[in-house]
Amino acid sequence: MLEIKGLSYSYRRNIPVLHNINLVIKNGFNLLIGENGSGKTTLIKNLTSILPLQQGEILLDNLSVTCPEYKKKISYLPQSFDVYPTLPVKEILRFVASAKSGLNKSEQEEHISKIMDLTNITEYAQKKLKDCSEGMRRRVGIASALIGNPDFVVLDEPTAGIDPKERIQFYKTLRTCFNGKTVLISTHILDDIDFLATNVIMLSQGCIKYTGDYAAFRSTLKGKLFEATCDLQKLSSIIQKYHVLSTSITGELVTCKIVSEEAPQHDSQIISVVASEASVEDIWLYFQGGDTRNG
Ligand code: ADP
């Protein structure tokens, strides 16, 4: 378990980009989401001690981020794994292991072999990284993150740039390889939440906007989301009256996704109303956006 207490961070004096973050990151897949510039990378860099701790505490199983031992328990996989492109895959893993694991040579070889099997890259051991396909490179990155058997793994946008079909396979690989660990994954691909999340953490403007388990996150709008259709001309009055999450326009009609404790009534403005199942995107918009109503 990783605990963050009162964490703030400023790149420039007195302009904090993280504001008093208090968070517990539990076992399983923790999906870190937030708009661009919300502070995800800064948070990750604090957790991985790439940036020095300025204010607050970060504890991994009660071990402070400032202890040398902390680094041995965590692993960080940056978005693009293109280090040592001319080295063969196995050499890269040996290099990472020698810097990280503290195992003797034969233990290290055994450790690397197991990880190569798990990540399905054994047959590419002698292939140079630059000659590997993108998918293979990602698996080598995962293998490198597993070296040293870390307790806490941070993956920065691991699914970025993978097409949706391949992503399903990649989710399986992630689940298999990091099963049982505490994993923090930053992402802007909302599908990742449905396929991976045990817990969801949402940042906005350097503050925690939401934290909770997947089921709680998914039921945020349960029974409270409706799709109302109205004339395009009536849209502005609907927006003033209701909490409108999003709109889609078809000709002269507009369908509004409305958050409301009770179903909006048919009236002179609304032609039809149906209850709607919230998507992850709806929930994201709900937490990100303000209420559209005046007052
Ligand atoms: P995200 O990863 O969610 O896009 P970042 O952590 O990269 O967010 O950025 C958070 C804020 O910190 C942004 O306003 C960004 O401009 C600022 N920032 C990021 N890196 C630096 C830096 N090296 N120097 C100054 N400001 C930075």
Side-chain angles (χ1 to χ4, degrees), residues 30 43 55 94 119 128 142 166-167 169 231 281:
N30 297 271
L43 178 61
Q55 196 181 326
R94 282 188 181 129
T119 48
K128 289 178 182 165
I142 291 174
E166 286 176 34
R167 236 187 275 145
Q169 187 54 43
D231 280 333
E281 193 182 352

Side-chain angles (χ1 to χ4, degrees), residues 11-12 17-18 34-43 45 203:
Y11 289 100
R12 276 175 260 147
V17 296
L18 293 179
E35 77 276 1
N36 268 343
S38 59
K40 300 182 296 298
T41 307
T42 307
L43 178 61
K45 286 183 176 174
L203 267 183

Side-chain angles (χ1 to χ4, degrees), residues 132-196:
C132 292
S133 67
E134 182 54 35
M136 218 189 294
R137 251 202 288 260
R138 282 176 198 266
R139 278 186 275 146
V140 177
I142 291 174
S144 79
L146 286 164
I147 298 253
N149 197 18
D151 295 332
F152 181 55
V153 181
V154 181
L155 308 174
D156 191 7
E157 306 244 355
T159 54
I162 308 182
D163 76 52
K165 265 191 226 148
E166 286 176 34
R167 236 187 275 145
I168 304 291
Q169 187 54 43
F170 192 64
Y171 292 137
K172 280 189 198 156
T173 307
L174 290 177
R175 273 201 298 263
T176 309
C177 293
F178 295 112
N179 182 31
K181 295 191 182 297
T182 302
V183 186
L184 181 69
I185 295 180
S186 77
T187 186
H188 65 272
I189 296 170
L190 295 179
D191 274 356
D192 290 359
I193 294 175
D194 275 336
F195 284 95
L196 285 175

